[in-house]
Amino acid sequence: MDLITVTREEGLKFSVRLRDHVMTTDMSVGEGGKDGGPSPVEFLGVASGACLATMVQAYCDARGYTDGDVSVSLTLELVENPNRVGAIVLDVELPKDVPEDHREKLKKMALRMPVPASLRDGPKVDIEMF
């Protein structure tokens, strides 16, 4: 995996660099930022939705399901004590020609995809301060 670097731009706005890609993260105005980009928590939702959409679309493409594209809409449910994402609700629209009996198979497969599986099983987090 490539190194990801996060550097402050101003206030609570940060640049996130990965290979040749640069993304911006910021907090909403109500949280002390200027809403210059998605918040870090929202990026968690972005990763979840993008992972699911990409992998399910690849599955559909490989099997010739072409009557529409995959799309994902999601909501993050926040909880307190400690503050965190308590649930991610993902609604997936599939091509119309995906057989009904494949939908449950796709749902089981989706739960094993890298981002959902990482969130479900909790990766080890190691923080070092310099």
Side-chain angles (χ1 to χ4, degrees):
M1 181 72 59
D2 292 304
L3 179 67
I4 299 170
T5 59
V6 182
T7 54
R8 184 176 184 205
E9 294 292 321
E10 64 176 330
L12 298 176
K13 182 178 178 182
F14 287 79
S15 290
V16 180
R17 288 178 169 69
L18 170 61
R19 295 189 311 275
D20 293 330
H21 308 285
V22 179
M23 298 154 277
T24 300
T25 182
D26 197 359
M27 300 303 288
S28 69
V29 173
E31 296 172 303
K34 294 184 180 177
D35 203 20
S39 73
V41 171
E42 290 167 330
F43 267 114
L44 185 64
V46 168
S48 299
C51 180
L52 183 59
T54 301
M55 302 301 261
V56 172
Q57 186 68 60
Y59 174 92
C60 291
D61 290 349
R63 283 153 185 83
Y65 303 134
T66 58
D67 188 11
D69 292 323
V70 172
S71 67
V72 177
S73 300
L74 64 96
T75 55
L76 301 174
E77 296 178 2
L78 303 178
V79 297
E80 296 177 348
N81 296 323
N83 291 337
R84 66 191 185 287
V85 175
I88 301 174
V89 179
L90 299 114
D91 296 318
V92 182
E93 185 174 330
L94 298 171
K96 292 175 182 65
D97 54 345
V98 174
E100 193 63 39
D101 62 329
H102 282 233
R103 293 170 188 263
E104 191 60 34
K105 179 180 179 180
L106 269 168
K107 184 175 179 178
K108 288 178 183 176
M109 182 183 83
L111 291 170
R112 294 190 312 267
M113 291 176 189
V115 175
S118 296
L119 292 171
R120 186 186 63 243
D121 296 333
K124 177 184 172 194
V125 177
D126 185 19
I127 299 173
E128 296 183 24
M129 301 281 182
F130 299 95

